[in-house]
Amino acid sequence: MVSIRFNQQWFDVSDDETVLDALLREGVSVPYSCRSGACQTCMMRAETGKPPEDAQKGLKPTRKARNHFLACLCKPEMDMEVVLPTDLPPPVKATVKRLLPLSADIIEVTLTTEIPVDYRPGQFITVMSPDRLSRSYSLASVPEEDEGLVLHVRRLPGGRVSGWIHETLREGDTLECSGPLGDCFYVPGQPSQPLLLIGTGSGLAPLYGILRDALRHGHDAPIRLFHGSRDAEGLYLQNELRILAENDPRFDYTPCLSGSEAPPNHAQGRAHTVALTDIANLTGWRIFLCGHPEMVQQARFQAFLAGALLDDIHADPFSLDKLETE
Amino acid sequence: MTDATQNTQNTSLYERLGGAAAVDAAVTIFYRKVIADSRINSFFAGVDMEKQAAKQKAFLTMAFGGPHNYTGLDMRRGHARLVEMGLNDSHFDAVLENLGATLQELNVPAAMIAEVTSIAESTRNDVLGR
């Protein structure tokens, strides 16, 4: 007999019993619906232990890689500590190692944590401000190449957390953060599958991490990045990306401007429109979408209709433009 | 749908169709048809596409006679919001039409398409909250 830990409590799972049945038997309330492995409502994640492969049937590769499983199919073979996919790991203390303006309203923040954070480029962490407001920021860094966690924080009008980061935070300060979370990252394998990366605003952060992670893993199919903004001031890391594109035949970079008239070497239009016009058939492509929620939603829809499989479309519902509404 | 006799019968249809692999093959085609269909796609606007596709998969599994634990009550609850938005027989018919077209595209014999359609048809009153 094995046991699972959920919500700070251990539960026994009888032979031939599923994780879902065991939790429901004990009166624990967890989401579920079809109970036959199709609807994915009962998805959980193992923080320790490994779920059996049968319990990961039909999940996206990114989810499998992070030990997600379906509770209604999972007959555990070993003890596991499980959480709901949206549960945040406990907070850790971090020090601001470096602050570097990238554009008029985007600053690069490098954090080092007391306890190492095991993450994949493109995932996000949640940062807590002194007045206990938390905001999620995507990781632009690659653990094998960069020291610390690198975030791109855009200053938003009236944004209390982004305002604090831009105006008050100094190198050497400490803060609390937790994570990582998110399923928008590169999974090694299938190196000949072309990659399409579309981002707006600071949605470039996760894509910058994903891009370098894919190159580092020896991805050998085309990798095309479309970064969009209303006007030229909203684009950043342009030099780095142009140099990368000039030196690596696999990578191609298209900055897109939707508002002002596009100067040479820029495309005119919204990033996802430019991308989907340029690449009309997305059958077989792997796609990453980061940025404005509306863009992500439209691009996902259009990419699916253009032939991409939903399992190959990665987007981060929280790594949107971090719209602060307070 | 959950009584033992019916499940036994359905399992055989499910196997004849090709089981889980057949559902996987059908779900992408089916979902593309559904969200491109202007008669019904307003019901899907703003909905998380991955969650929606997973639900379509659960629906196809059931219609293919595969394993499921859906009850009439689940169907009612799951569609109540859509019924409020005006979901009616014409929309249900459109979904069935897309289902049939999907199976034709996959070269499923007409007799089996009829079986699938009749299972899907059996949920009509629950889906429409009657």
Side-chain angles (χ1 to χ4, degrees):
Chain A
M1 173 133 76
V2 300
S3 305
I4 52 158
R5 187 169 189 263
F6 178 68
N7 263 350
Q8 282 112 48
Q9 238 186 310
W10 283 97
F11 301 96
D12 289 335
V13 185
S14 317
D15 295 341
D16 224 43
E17 194 177 31
T18 66
V19 168
L20 181 63
D21 287 338
L23 291 173
L24 295 178
R25 170 170 55 75
E26 294 294 329
V28 180
S29 161
V30 284
Y32 68 94
S33 180
C34 80
R35 301 177 84 164
S36 48
C39 77
Q40 304 192 355
T41 306
C42 67
M43 187 160 61
M44 300 185 104
R45 182 165 61 83
E47 288 205 307
T48 64
K50 209 166 168 42
E53 225 170 272
D54 288 350
Q56 298 185 305
K57 229 172 47 185
L59 297 186
K60 291 177 86 140
T62 45
R63 298 231 165 94
K64 286 184 186 171
R66 294 184 65 226
N67 288 330
H68 281 76
F69 64 93
L70 299 175
C72 73
L73 294 182
C74 182
K75 295 175 180 171
E77 288 156 359
M78 62 177 89
D79 289 355
M80 298 194 299
E81 294 180 72
V82 305
V83 295
L84 294 177
T86 47
D87 286 347
L88 263 180
V92 294
K93 207 172 235 169
T95 305
V96 180
K97 194 89 186 158
R98 200 164 77 122
L99 293 169
L100 179 73
L102 295 177
S103 73
D105 62 352
I106 294 176
I107 189 168
E108 181 190 85
V109 180
T110 305
L111 302 172
T112 49
T113 51
E114 264 180 3
I115 310 159
V117 173
D118 183 18
Y119 73 95
R120 291 163 187 265
Q123 287 193 287
F124 62 87
I125 60 166
T126 298
V127 171
M128 186 85 85
S129 76
D131 42 1
R132 313 306 288 169
L133 291 168
S134 58
R135 291 289 177 274
S136 299
Y137 295 104
S138 297
L139 292 159
S141 45
V142 176
E144 291 82 358
E145 291 182 5
D146 304 309
E147 200 193 330
L149 308 171
V150 177
L151 319 172
H152 298 169
V153 179
R154 181 167 162 219
R155 186 210 302 261
L156 294 159
R160 279 160 68 185
V161 178
S162 64
W164 161 68
I165 290 173
H166 274 261
E167 281 145 37
T168 313
L169 200 65
R170 294 286 174 270
E171 289 177 359
D173 286 357
T174 57
L175 52 80
E176 259 185 25
C177 65
S178 59
L181 276 185
D183 301 313
C184 188
F185 55 83
Y186 177 79
V187 178
Q190 297 185 275
S192 53
Q193 180 178 33
L195 307 184
L196 171 59
L197 283 53
I198 305 174
T200 54
S202 58
L204 180 62
L207 299 179
Y208 193 54
I210 290 164
L211 158 70
R212 291 181 301 134
D213 201 29
L215 292 174
R216 195 182 63 82
H217 275 98
H219 202 87
D220 63 12
I223 304 174
R224 303 204 52 189
L225 169 66
F226 294 80
H227 183 215
S229 171
R230 187 165 307 154
D231 37 47
E233 292 82 69
L235 297 172
Y236 63 99
L237 290 180
Q238 283 195 82
N239 280 340
E240 286 82 350
L241 290 165
R242 285 201 195 281
I243 291 167
L244 197 57
E246 275 161 25
N247 293 306
D248 197 317
R250 296 171 292 174
F251 174 57
D252 178 70
Y253 165 58
T254 311
C256 309
L257 296 177
S258 63
S260 49
E261 198 160 314
N265 297 323
H266 292 66
Q268 178 78 53
R270 302 180 70 190
H272 68 286
T273 312
V274 173
L276 284 151
T277 310
D278 201 20
I279 315 166
N281 186 346
L282 288 173
T283 306
W285 285 68
R286 200 187 319 179
I287 298 159
F288 296 89
L289 307 170
C290 305
H292 198 281
E294 194 193 324
M295 181 285 285
V296 169
Q297 200 184 352
Q298 283 181 16
R300 190 204 295 269
F301 183 80
Q302 288 166 11
F304 179 64
L305 289 180
L309 296 173
L310 280 183
D311 278 357
D312 282 331
I313 305 176
H314 304 282
D316 206 324
F318 304 105
S319 77
L320 309 173
D321 238 348
K322 320 299 183 233
L323 301 163
E324 291 181 285
T325 49
E326 82 270 11
Chain B
M1 292 302 301
T2 47
D3 81 66
T5 355
Q6 202 158 11
N7 270 347
T8 319
Q9 270 176 10
N10 290 348
T11 306
S12 63
L13 170 65
Y14 187 60
E15 280 166 4
R16 278 183 284 136
L17 280 164
V23 174
D24 287 342
V27 72
T28 298
I29 301 174
F30 175 64
Y31 188 41
R32 269 200 195 107
K33 286 189 191 299
V34 165
I35 62 172
D37 186 337
S38 61
R39 294 173 296 177
I40 47 179
N41 59 12
S42 62
F43 292 103
F44 300 98
V47 176
D48 182 310
M49 284 181 75
E50 282 185 8
K51 284 189 186 152
Q52 195 55 49
K55 283 186 184 141
Q56 304 293 349
K57 192 170 168 181
F59 167 69
L60 287 187
T61 306
M62 182 196 68
F64 283 20
H68 75 94
N69 292 291
Y70 278 121
T71 64
L73 190 61
D74 293 330
M75 285 289 157
R76 278 168 191 276
R77 280 199 196 123
H79 294 88
R81 193 181 60 86
L82 302 181
V83 171
E84 273 172 36
M85 285 165 63
L87 189 78
N88 63 36
D89 281 299
S90 74
H91 306 118
F92 193 90
D93 292 340
V95 171
L96 286 194
E97 194 185 303
N98 287 313
L99 176 61
T102 301
L103 296 173
Q104 273 171 15
E105 210 170 304
L106 292 167
N107 297 317
V108 174
M112 275 204 272
I113 297 181
E115 280 186 75
V116 171
T117 309
S118 85
I119 295 175
E121 179 63 56
S122 72
T123 67
R124 183 187 291 261
N125 285 339
D126 284 323
V127 167
L128 297 179
R130 297 194 287 233

